[in-house]
Amino acid sequence: MSKVSRKIISTLSAPKPVAPYNQAVQVDRTLYLSGVLGLDKNTNKLVTGGIVAEARQALENLGKILNASDSSYENALSSY
């Protein structure tokens, strides 16, 4: 039986989580992200400008977490 590797991913380039969870967890070759919001990393508050600005910021934050795990949008799938 093989051993499963698990690694916590954390980067200062993206906002801290607003609840007790990690920015991402890598289990073997799968990266799990959750709760990525349109927050400013310096204030941990939603960016101003409404839903478009918040969505753009959330996607930027997601990209920074992907980069911290040596991944990118090219490798991303959605469970949506």
Side-chain angles (χ1 to χ4, degrees), residues 10-18 21-24 34-47 57-58 60-62 64-65:
S10 181
T11 178
L12 296 176
S13 297
K16 296 177 188 174
V18 296
Y21 54 82
N22 299 299
Q23 290 174 323
S34 182
V36 180
L37 304 172
L39 301 176
D40 178 292
K41 74 176 181 91
N42 297 316
T43 64
N44 233 36
K45 296 188 184 287
L46 286 172
V47 295
Q57 187 63 51
E60 288 179 20
N61 294 340
L62 180 66
K64 290 175 182 177
I65 297 169

Side-chain angles (χ1 to χ4, degrees), residues 2-7 9 25-32 69:
S2 64
K3 186 173 180 168
V4 175
S5 70
R6 181 175 178 260
K7 179 180 176 185
I9 306 296
V25 178
Q26 183 174 351
V27 180
D28 288 333
R29 294 178 46 198
T30 303
L31 183 68
Y32 298 93
S69 66

